[in-house]
Amino acid sequence: MEDLTEMLKGTLEGCVLEIINGEETYGYAITRRLNELGFADVIDGTVYTILLRLERNGLVQVTKRPSEVGPPRKFYALNDAGRAELATFWAKWEYLSSRIDSLRKGVR
Amino acid sequence: MSFWETVTGSDLTRHWTAFEARARVLPDDYRAAWEQIKAGLFPHGDFTGRNLTPILDSALALLEEAAAEGQSVGEVLGDDIPGFCAALTGGTGARTYRDRWREQLNDNVARKLSRLGG
């Protein structure tokens, strides 16, 4: 689906948190995962700035690991604050999606 | 950072030389993007530009990682490099030197006005 970017913006950080929650991973792999999910427009630069923000806000633990192909990669794992943030994200998401569903079904 | 480095700015020179050495070995399209990133980040610099050193370092690291994966720079940064730079420095709300000048001007005007009893 194209032109999802605007709608996706607010939720992308939550998506990235969820992906990191699954397993410790690095930027390039996160972008590929999002692309596989059908978010074709998501680019590395966007994911990278989200990762920087997560790092600045103290939600992730960063480890540098050597890679076979070139410079060392930064791997990201959630810490306790990150897991709490992820739980908050899903709670907000539940609320938002249930409200929007109600609107669509005409519930008052 | 030693006092000597602080006053002479030799730490900045050292970092910048190291950055350029890293950038030189990147593919052509990445080097062009690096030039654009530097230009895009410059307005976000503080008085000496020291706040940009860690940002430039991380941007360069992204370029290096992505180049090693064999991607084109378009796949990595898209066509909005200024937007990318703004996000790097903490979102579009990041303060630039223009914001500081505007603030200073507003303060001065407000002070002068209050002195006039307006």
Side-chain angles (χ1 to χ4, degrees), chain A residues 28 43-45 48 52 73, chain B residues 58 69 71 75-78 88:
Chain A
Y28 177 72
I43 54 172
D44 293 284
Y48 190 70
L52 273 185
R73 288 191 185 118
Chain B
S58 64
E69 300 279 357
Q71 303 184 81
E75 284 176 277
V76 181
L77 296 180
L88 271 188

Side-chain angles (χ1 to χ4, degrees), chain B residues 104-116:
Chain B
Q104 208 171 25
L105 181 67
N106 282 338
D107 284 352
N108 283 338
V109 171
R111 208 165 37 234
K112 296 253 159 76
L113 280 178
S114 68
R115 201 172 295 158
L116 288 172

